[in-house]
């Protein structure tokens, strides 16, 4: 990852931090909003929507890395929007932890890029492709497990 070009690796997902899966943005102007669930966008007074922000540990053939999966990449893992998963998790409080266990050990082709923000600590997952032909997103397995 020394160069500026994105790097694609084959890896296994070994852990996911399920304690903080989301962040909120304005549904219109897409500005990041505070964590307070009652806050509206100060610019346009519009309601928020949730997006995924997952901290995951992956293992390549040579090292273990902590990386960030933002919404586009995380949707591949979860198979639904962050708002849909949040609503599902309200009904099933252990859904996030169980999703981490479901995804643990899955093999992926991941393209990693350096963060644009100089203060950021983790590489970004630019794209993710499951390597198992019968891969199921976490929400499908969770619905089978919990029903609904």
């Amino acid at each position: 990852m020394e160069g500026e070009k994105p790097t694609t690796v084959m890896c296994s997902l070994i852990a996911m931090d399920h304690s903080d899966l989301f962040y909120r943005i304005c549904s219109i102007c897409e500005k990041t909003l505070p964590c307070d669930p009652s806050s509206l966008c100060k610019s346009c007074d519009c309601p928020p929507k949730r997006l995924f922000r997952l901290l995951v540990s992956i293992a390549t053939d040579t090292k273990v890395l902590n990386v960030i999966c933002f919404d586009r990449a995380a949707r591949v893992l979860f198979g639904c929007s962050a708002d849909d998963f949040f609503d599902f998790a309200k009904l099933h409080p252990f859904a996030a932890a169980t999703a981490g266990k479901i995804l643990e050990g899955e093999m992926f082709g991941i393209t990693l890029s350096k963060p644009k923000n100089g203060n950021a600590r983790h590489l970004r997952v630019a794209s993710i492709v499951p390597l198992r032909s019968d891969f199921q997103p976490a929400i499908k397995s969770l619905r089978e497990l919990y029903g609904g």
Side-chain angles (χ1 to χ4, degrees):
M1 292 306 308
E2 286 76 26
E4 292 299 316
K5 288 185 176 181
T7 301
T8 301
V9 297
M10 284 191 287
C11 65
S12 176
L13 192 146
I14 56 175
M16 179 179 78
D17 179 357
H18 57 82
S19 65
D20 187 19
L21 300 177
F22 314 105
Y23 68 106
R24 297 173 58 243
I25 65 168
C26 173
S27 58
I28 302 297
C29 70
E30 297 192 346
K31 288 184 180 178
T32 302
L33 299 175
C35 293
D36 175 17
S38 64
S39 64
L40 297 176
C41 179
K42 293 186 185 340
S43 298
C44 56
D45 204 34
C46 294
K49 69 177 181 180
R50 282 177 191 79
L51 297 178
F52 284 112
R53 178 182 53 215
L54 308 175
L55 178 61
V56 296
S57 295
I58 60 169
T60 70
D61 60 341
T62 58
K63 58 187 158 193
V64 173
L65 300 167
N66 291 323
V67 297
I68 295 284
C69 289
F70 283 103
D71 198 64
R72 187 171 23 113
R75 282 176 179 245
V76 173
L77 300 175
F78 279 83
C80 62
S81 72
D83 279 325
D84 288 345
F85 187 78
F86 180 83
D87 292 340
F88 184 86
K90 281 194 301 190
L91 298 174
H92 308 286
F94 296 106
T98 305
K101 294 293 182 198
I102 288 168
L103 294 169
E104 199 173 287
E106 285 289 347
M107 297 290 294
F108 297 98
I110 293 182
T111 301
L112 298 169
S113 62
K114 288 192 176 229
K116 292 180 176 98
N117 177 346
N119 296 330
R121 296 186 316 209
H122 302 292
L123 295 171
R124 304 301 194 244
V125 176
S127 68
I128 186 166
V129 177
L131 296 180
R132 193 165 50 97
S133 61
D134 62 344
F135 171 78
Q136 289 189 116
I139 194 68
K140 186 167 183 350
S141 298
L142 290 168
R143 285 185 177 134
E144 290 170 3
L145 181 65
Y146 293 122

